[in-house]
Amino acid sequence: MNYETALYILTALVAVYIIRKVFMRLRLSRAKHPSLRGHVKWLRRITRLIPYFEYGDNYFFCSDGATESIAKKRRQGINNLRQLIRKKFPATVLFSASLENSLSDVRFTSAHKVPFPYRRYLHKELKLGSIVEETNGVKVKDIDGNWSYDLSGSYGVNVFGYDFYKDCIDRGSEKVKILGPVLGSYHPLIRKNVDKLRTVSGLDEVSFHMSGTEAVMQAVRLARYHTGKTHLVRLCGAYHGWWDGVQPGIGNQRKTNDVYTLSDLSKATLKVLTTRNDIACVLINPIQALHPNSDASSDATLINSTREANFNRGTYTKWLKNIRDICTRNNIVLIFDEVFTGFRLAHRGAQEYFNVQADMVTYGKTLGGGLPVGVVCGKSHLMKRFKDDAPVNISFARGTFNSHPYVMGAMNEFLNRIEEPDIQQLYHEADNLWNNRVARLNQRMEQKSIPIRIANLHSILTVLYTLPGRYNWMFQFYLKAEGLHLSWIGSGRMIMSLNYSEQDFNAIIDRFVLAAENMNTDGWWWQSPQLTNKAIKRMMLRDMVYARFPMLGNIMRGSVQECVRELTEEVHRG
Ligand SMILES: Cc1ncc(COP(=O)(O)O)c(C=O)c1O
């Protein structure tokens, strides 16, 4: 072969290589969700540029262009809520305020209840707190003695009611108390827990950890170790704990270059899984079935009414089965992150609910019987932490508190109790029961022309707002006033325990409707033809730009106020 031919062949090979690379890259791009959520790195860059700005005393009430009389109603609404809070929750509010500068969790959560431009004014006017000291049935009592219905579900831990978990902890502690907190050795109860977990998961081996986050870290580490591949695939919007290895976007400062965030329910994603050879595992959080490609909606991001949720069991089952097949064919480890859905959707969790078997499953939350836990179950060859033929090539995972005897005790109670007929009956009925309850709640709201609908997956509910609005996040305060206890993310996720009786739920419906009627009366859902979701987004964007470039705001004369005035005038003319 002469020099020219060799050069020609080399150039052709390089060209083929480059074209293939570009093609693969384009394919990957196509598999990303078109929203910013699907482009997590860009999202992170962009969000860093968003400057702080706030809506002050007057603008707070008419940032949607509402008339003066509506603004007045809203102001009166806030006054009423403030008085009610002062009267009903004085000790709770004081106690929470005292923690705000010393407990970073409280500082964070109280600053992230509503969209940030409204935060400072609202915080000044409506101080809330969440200091509780007793539970009974589906209710929780704060330190002022108020009993509220619990819709928070303790982040999903509470599947069967707090009394159930009190029992698990008491009885479990009784079983292990003569051993105490001995670590490193195991209490014999571990045998029974491991056996039951193997049956529930349909997998060979188990490892115990201390939180869901840690269980996910371990599952992903093992998937990389055994496949020798670098990347994990997570689906757009899915939460898998606060480890930066599964949180490549907002919330984490480290650049994460070994994660692909791909679209849920997308053919392009399946194509990527089929064609790339660097994917070690696909991580699925089955709760995403309720709102594919969206985050668990916090009211802090509720800037308009575009929150979506739409669960279709058939479609999602088909999707999971497709992923299952592709993972099997391509040596990709399929991990179900069932920290939330495990032992809730069914006895065997999402694996049973959707009838799909994963290669590894992570559990947490409720499985600890009320105590902290994380668990990985997996196929034997994936769970092994060393290689027979490479003795120093290990996958290290230990943890001081793994398999803590008290956690083993409470877990044992939990795993025993859920096998009993009354709990099996609950599992059996739950899906229909919650679909019917949600349908009833929606019907009542429709009858009352309330611009709210609830979507649900089983016992997990989310509030959707059907008319464009900038103030939907106010709803959480009206719910609170009616004695409904939400988690800090507000109306985006309400997690119901399965011990809610019909009577309890009827009370929830009444209070929900009353809260919405009060909110409506106070003018927060005022409408105008110009007030579309798109227009709200534009207003927010414009405010951001003006805050970033104040000169521009000055040039545009009066910036935001001017625009509101224009909009108000338009509304009056229209
Ligand atoms: C699906 C999923 N994975 C992981 C985690 C993290 O678990 P933990 O908060 O126990 O670390 C959560 C927590 O909400 C979760 O819902």
Side-chain angles (χ1 to χ4, degrees):
M1 193 191 306
N2 65 21
Y3 173 75
E4 267 182 21
T5 314
L7 194 65
Y8 177 75
I9 291 173
L10 191 67
T11 311
L13 284 176
V14 170
V16 168
Y17 175 78
I18 291 173
I19 289 169
R20 193 179 128 74
K21 272 263 180 215
V22 170
F23 186 72
M24 292 294 276
R25 188 67 194 78
L26 286 175
R27 181 174 275 161
L28 191 62
S29 295
R30 268 207 305 275
K32 293 186 178 181
H33 193 257
S35 71
L36 260 182
R37 275 191 315 281
H39 296 78
V40 286
K41 287 182 188 155
W42 276 108
L43 180 63
R44 188 161 59 175
R45 278 181 208 128
I46 290 170
T47 48
R48 280 183 187 158
L49 295 176
I50 295 175
Y52 178 74
F53 60 92
E54 63 187 42
Y55 297 153
D57 189 351
N58 289 324
Y59 192 61
F60 181 96
F61 294 99
C62 58
S63 60
D64 54 352
T67 58
E68 247 172 61
S69 68
I70 292 293
K72 225 166 139 185
K73 272 193 191 179
R74 291 173 176 173
R75 194 183 285 277
Q76 188 54 46
I78 292 247
N79 279 341
N80 295 343
L81 283 171
R82 187 179 47 219
Q83 275 165 25
L84 181 134
I85 288 168
R86 270 197 196 148
K87 223 166 99 191
K88 251 183 112 175
F89 310 105
T92 310
V93 169
L94 217 67
F95 200 114
S96 277
S98 76
L99 288 178
E100 227 166 75
N101 291 326
S102 50
L103 189 61
S104 48
D105 236 8
V106 174
R107 180 140 60 133
F108 180 81
T109 52
S110 55
H112 290 86
K113 280 184 184 310
V114 304
F116 71 86
Y118 301 93
R119 179 200 299 171
R120 198 190 306 244
Y121 182 79
L122 195 76
H123 194 53
K124 183 163 66 80
E125 295 296 312
L126 293 186
K127 292 206 187 307
L128 285 181
S130 197
I131 313 289
V132 292
E133 58 182 7
E134 196 179 334
T135 56
N136 187 2
V138 292
K139 287 187 175 171
V140 54
K141 189 175 97 176
D142 65 31
I143 55 170
D144 288 292
N146 305 296
W147 285 96
S148 305
Y149 285 96
D150 180 45
L151 312 186
S152 80
S154 287
Y155 297 121
V157 168
N158 185 17
V159 178
F160 297 108
Y162 293 114
D163 297 318
F164 175 100
Y165 296 91
K166 285 181 205 169
D167 269 1
C168 287
I169 293 171
D170 285 349
R171 290 187 200 188
S173 302
E174 201 55 43
K175 283 181 178 171
V176 299
K177 75 175 184 200
I178 56 166
L179 176 64
V182 173
L183 300 163
S185 302
Y186 302 109
H187 189 283
L189 270 182
I190 202 166
R191 165 88 272 149
K192 289 187 177 137
N193 291 347
V194 167
D195 287 348
K196 283 186 192 296
L197 285 168
R198 290 175 62 206
T199 307
V200 165
S201 64
L203 294 162
D204 312 317
E205 262 183 51
V206 177
S207 67
F208 292 108
H209 307 272
M210 287 157 287
S211 68
T213 298
E214 229 193 322
V216 170
M217 287 166 77
Q218 169 65 351
V220 170
R221 175 178 286 196
L222 284 169
R224 288 197 170 113
Y225 178 64
H226 287 291
T227 58
K229 297 191 269 185
T230 49
H231 280 64
L232 83 82
V233 165
R234 65 184 275 273
L235 298 177
C236 179
Y239 181 68
H240 296 284
W242 64 278
W243 169 43
D244 49 16
V246 285
Q247 201 185 38
I250 307 178
N252 146 36
Q253 303 309 307
R254 186 171 74 88
K255 268 193 190 154
T256 313
N257 290 323
D258 50 14
V259 178
Y260 296 132
T261 299
L262 305 184
S263 256
D264 223 333
L265 296 174
S266 142
K267 280 196 180 133
T269 292
L270 297 181
K271 197 83 192 155
V272 167
L273 295 180
T274 313
T275 51
R276 290 195 78 91
N277 54 17
D278 57 351
I279 298 172
C281 57
V282 179
L283 200 50
I284 305 271
N285 177 356
I287 187 70
Q288 290 304 112
L290 176 58
H291 41 68
N293 291 307
S294 298
D295 304 330
S297 315
S298 153
D299 284 359
T301 56
L302 199 54
I303 63 162
N304 59 16
S305 303
T306 51
R307 182 187 277 170
E308 281 180 348
N310 181 18
F311 173 53
N312 183 321
R313 190 167 177 174
T315 309
Y316 207 76
T317 303
K318 212 164 136 197
W319 164 245
L320 291 180
K321 284 186 186 296
N322 275 334
I323 294 184
R324 171 66 281 175
D325 287 349
I326 292 171
C327 286
T328 306
R329 275 188 268 123
N330 292 278
N331 184 30
I332 297 172
V333 180
L334 176 59
I335 306 172
F336 270 20
D337 178 2
E338 293 228 46
V339 169
F340 194 99
T341 53
F343 303 95
R344 175 177 286 273
L345 296 188
H347 187 172
R348 297 191 55 240
Q351 290 199 106
E352 179 181 336
Y353 192 79
F354 294 109
N355 190 23
V356 175
Q357 176 67 53
D359 301 315
M360 292 180 120
V361 182
T362 56
Y363 299 110
K365 298 204 191 260
T366 195
L367 173 58
L371 295 182
V373 79
V375 167
V376 182
C377 296
K379 290 184 173 165
S380 208
H381 71 277
L382 293 172
M383 296 293 279
K384 194 167 173 185
R385 298 181 193 166
F386 61 95
K387 297 195 176 184
D388 292 332
D389 55 354
V392 194
N393 181 5
I394 57 167
S395 173
F396 186 79
R398 303 293 303 153
T400 303
F401 285 105
N402 292 353
S403 316
H404 191 291
Y406 281 76
V407 175
M408 289 300 116
M411 182 188 293
N412 186 251
E413 276 302 310
F414 176 87
L415 288 168
N416 289 340
R417 270 292 279 125
I418 63 172
E419 287 176 355
E420 288 173 13
D422 58 331
I423 299 286
Q424 289 297 313
Q425 179 78 4
L426 273 185
Y427 275 137
H428 187 66
E429 292 169 350
D431 208 30
N432 275 339
L433 189 74
W434 284 98
N435 288 344
N436 290 336
R437 284 176 176 174
V438 169
R440 256 171 46 224
L441 175 50
N442 279 332
Q443 206 175 16
R444 272 284 292 284
M445 287 188 296
E446 202 172 342
Q447 279 161 4
K448 299 265 178 185
S449 305
I450 291 168
I452 279 181
R453 289 296 170 270
I454 310 293
N456 72 301
L457 160 56
H458 196 267
S459 49
I460 307 143
L461 280 55
T462 183
V463 179
L464 308 177
Y465 299 90
T466 58
L467 290 176
R470 285 199 87 171
Y471 294 97
N472 295 320
W473 40 265
M474 274 301 295
F475 191 43
Q476 60 182 299
F477 299 98
Y478 285 87
L479 290 173
K480 173 89 182 166
E482 293 311 318
L484 302 179
H485 178 73
L486 302 177
S487 80
W488 68 276
I489 69 168
S491 66
R493 185 166 283 177
M494 298 181 304
I495 306 166
M496 311 302 287
S497 50
L498 303 187
N499 63 328
Y500 261 91
S501 67
E502 284 305 286
Q503 200 185 356
D504 292 326
F505 197 73
N506 287 340
I508 298 285
I509 295 183
D510 290 342
R511 289 168 187 232
F512 222 86
V513 169
L514 194 57
E517 283 178 334
N518 290 341
M519 171 134 166
N520 204 17
T521 307
D522 289 344
W524 299 105
W525 282 316
W526 170 84
Q527 291 296 301
S528 87
Q530 284 75 21
L531 191 71
T532 60
N533 284 321
K534 242 189 190 159
I536 294 173
K537 223 180 202 171
R538 275 206 310 268
M539 289 176 192
M540 189 79 181
L541 263 174
R542 183 207 52 213
D543 296 350
M544 280 177 200
V545 172
Y546 287 167
R548 179 109 218 126
F549 306 104
M551 289 290 283
L552 197 62
N554 293 339
I555 292 165
M556 301 301 279
R557 307 254 351 118
S559 67
V560 287
Q561 264 85 354
E562 184 71 14
C563 220
V564 172
R565 223 169 292 133
E566 274 168 28
L567 186 58
T568 314
E569 278 165 20
E570 251 179 71
V571 171
H572 291 303
R573 277 199 301 275

